[in-house]
Amino acid sequence: MTRIIADISVSLDGFVTGPDPGPENGLGTGGEALHTWAFSDDPDDRRVLHEGTVRSGAVVLGRRLFDLVDGPGGWDDETGYGAGEVGTPAFVVVTSSPPPAVRLAALDWTFVTTGLPDAVTTARGRAEAASTSSGKDLDVVLMGGGALIRSAFDAGLVDLLSLHLSPVLLGAGTPLFTGAVPRTLVQRSAVPTSTATHLTYDVL
């Protein structure tokens, strides 16, 4: 069965970027430390990264994050989603206005202008089709940014939360859950490494 999984790295004080994020500084000041685990040689970090990308049938992201990954300093063959891990899934972008052109034209992009629930529905359809084609269950991964994941939680769209808790205090930045609608979570796993604690929760 296709699940909707929110997957994001967060600081100990609850931020998914550092202060002053922007087009030239996507993760904000100090925010790169949130993703140290993704480039680690620790076997547990590598396993978490592999398992997270191999289950992806479709990925949902917001327009600001799309502009970062498709921008001049964004993804390439070595740093794109699941680079070196698995084949690339379909990408669904929530936006009020699709871009006039896409730099990463080799990737499968769909732009949804009718809101997050419709984007998730579109991504679920793509993931289910990929599941049928591959013969294994694949999921929809909400990769962010923080506002998109918080909105998905508030709308009751998330089945599972995958948090990568980085041992850093950023002090300010983009908060993940401040002001969120209350939800009950059930912890399913905790994997500590030298660079992060990888936590998964069922969302009730």
Side-chain angles (χ1 to χ4, degrees):
M1 183 180 76
T2 296
R3 302 169 298 173
I4 310 301
I5 299 175
D7 189 303
I8 196 163
S9 298
V10 63
S11 67
L12 285 174
D13 50 351
F15 296 103
V16 296
T17 76
D20 302 318
E24 304 301 321
N25 189 28
L27 290 172
T29 303
E32 294 82 4
L34 297 174
H35 296 274
T36 299
W37 72 270
F39 303 96
S40 164
D41 292 327
D42 185 293
D44 285 328
D45 286 327
R46 302 311 306 169
R47 177 177 56 81
V48 168
L49 181 64
H50 175 75
E51 291 176 353
T53 52
V54 78
R55 73 186 178 213
S56 304
V59 174
V60 179
L61 60 157
R63 178 56 188 269
R64 278 184 287 185
L65 182 54
F66 166 79
D67 287 342
L68 290 173
V69 303
D70 195 56
W75 286 351
D76 55 31
D77 290 342
E78 295 181 357
T79 60
Y81 187 89
E85 293 290 335
V86 294
T88 52
F91 295 95
V92 177
V93 181
V94 187
T95 180
S96 60
S97 178
V102 176
R103 178 179 67 86
L104 298 168
L107 299 180
D108 181 355
W109 297 102
T110 300
F111 298 91
V112 175
T113 60
T114 51
L116 179 57
D118 285 347
V120 170
T121 297
T122 297
R124 185 190 294 274
R126 299 300 300 274
E128 289 174 347
S131 296
T132 299
S133 177
S134 67
K136 59 183 179 182
D137 287 337
L138 297 173
D139 298 315
V140 173
V141 175
L142 310 180
M143 69 172 286
L148 182 145
I149 286 179
R150 187 166 59 250
S151 295
F153 262 87
D154 290 349
L157 298 174
V158 178
D159 299 315
L160 187 142
L161 172 64
S162 177
L163 274 186
H164 311 287
L165 187 62
S166 298
V168 60
L169 298 173
L170 294 174
T174 305
L176 182 55
F177 287 128
T178 299
V181 172
R183 295 283 174 194
T184 299
L185 308 180
V186 177
Q187 184 169 302
R188 292 305 182 198
S189 68
V191 179
T193 73
S194 61
T195 58
T197 301
H198 306 284
L199 302 162
T200 58
Y201 301 89
D202 288 335
V203 182
L204 303 183

